[in-house]
Amino acid sequence: MKELHYEFYIGGTPEQVWETLISPEGTKQIYYGSVIQSTFKEGELLEYVGPGADGDETIHVYGTLLEFTPQKAFRFTHKVGPSYHKGTERYESRISWLLEAVGGTTKLTLIHDEWHPDDPSYAGSINAWWQVLSNIKTLVETGRTLDFGSWS
């Protein structure tokens, strides 16, 4: 089974990294202008909503919140939004963000797994995650994000 697994060490506290992952201010900067809409209660809906093909309220990703342990773990199922892959099946995968204090840094682990073999989102995710992860690290350490030009 396919799995994307990344580990980064970030010059910041788990609290700083966590805020970047879940706060509107952080997610807008690392996720194409999107924010998380969720109650952050396990078992409930989670959506990443922001500018896109369907206007300012485009649902880019949605799923079910599986685990929400502040500054430690954030897991949810992942499906691409309705404006992506129109007319095709929306396969489900899982995203796990894991945070661990290591000395004066935070080890951030991203595991994107449980992919369906036919999920067309897998190939694009390989490149997109490097940009997102690089932006998380840069934002926490410098207060700004990288300029990748237009996101693709």
Side-chain angles (χ1 to χ4, degrees), residues 18-35:
W18 184 259
E19 281 300 306
T20 301
L21 289 174
I22 63 154
S23 74
E25 298 78 20
T27 60
K28 277 183 184 178
Q29 293 181 76
I30 62 172
Y31 283 120
Y32 322 104
S34 295
V35 297

Side-chain angles (χ1 to χ4, degrees), residues 75-89:
R75 293 181 208 268
F76 53 93
T77 61
H78 168 277
K79 287 186 177 185
V80 296
S83 65
Y84 298 88
H85 310 295
K86 288 185 189 248
T88 62
E89 185 171 348

Side-chain angles (χ1 to χ4, degrees), residues 53-68:
D54 295 331
D56 287 343
E57 296 294 314
T58 298
I59 299 171
H60 294 279
V61 169
Y62 67 98
T64 302
L65 188 62
L66 302 172
E67 181 180 358
F68 190 81

Side-chain angles (χ1 to χ4, degrees), residues 5 7 27 37 63 71 75 77 85 92 96 116 137 147:
H5 187 120
E7 293 180 359
T27 60
Q37 293 183 354
Q71 289 103 49
R75 293 181 208 268
T77 61
H85 310 295
E92 186 174 86
S96 300
H116 186 281
K137 181 172 173 56
D147 180 2

